Amino acid sequence: QVQLAESGGGSVQAGGSLKLSCVPSEYASMGWFRQAPGKPREAIAAITKGSSTTYYADSVKGRFTISQDNTENTLYLRMDILKPEDTAMYYCAGDTRLSTTFAISSSYRAPSEADFAYWGQGTQVIVSS
């Protein structure tokens, strides 16, 4: 389902930064996924309501920051020190299920595409060397 909207993608040089936005950030669990050509969609960051718990994929940990502004009902993904391998279509996702909040908060497994029922249409990020 397309019930979310991402913005902020673009083209940058390696080492640069971008900040993505997603609205509305109204679900118990929110996340960012990305999909490069020929590769499966992967979770890169996720957050539970109230920012109580966050998840980051190893590939982006220390470089990307997920956050949400409750007043503006907006989810953000700050991306720093971008690399060419970060080039992908970036998707915002949300879910209401408790199982998804558990996936984000626990260390037993990473959140997966199946954990999120609501999706945006994507915003493209291109990082050149």
Side-chain angles (χ1 to χ4, degrees), residues 71-124:
T71 301
E72 298 183 359
N73 201 26
T74 303
L75 180 75
Y76 297 101
L77 183 67
R78 169 88 181 182
M79 303 185 293
D80 295 312
I81 319 175
L82 283 162
K83 304 175 181 180
E85 52 263 44
D86 294 320
T87 297
M89 188 73 72
Y90 283 70
Y91 298 89
C92 176
D95 200 85
T96 63
R97 293 171 291 180
L98 186 61
S99 59
T100 299
T101 69
F102 284 155
I104 296 169
S105 62
S106 83
S107 60
Y108 293 107
R109 69 172 180 89
S112 67
E113 186 174 356
D115 291 319
F116 293 87
Y118 308 104
W119 294 84
Q121 63 184 5
T123 185
Q124 188 173 3

Side-chain angles (χ1 to χ4, degrees), residues 1-7 21-23 32-33 35 41 88-93 118-124:
Q1 291 183 277
V2 179
Q3 297 190 3
L4 302 168
E6 309 95 338
S7 62
S21 300
C22 170
V23 292
W32 289 98
F33 286 70
Q35 187 168 24
R41 193 171 298 185
M89 188 73 72
Y90 283 70
Y91 298 89
C92 176
Y118 308 104
W119 294 84
Q121 63 184 5
T123 185
Q124 188 173 3

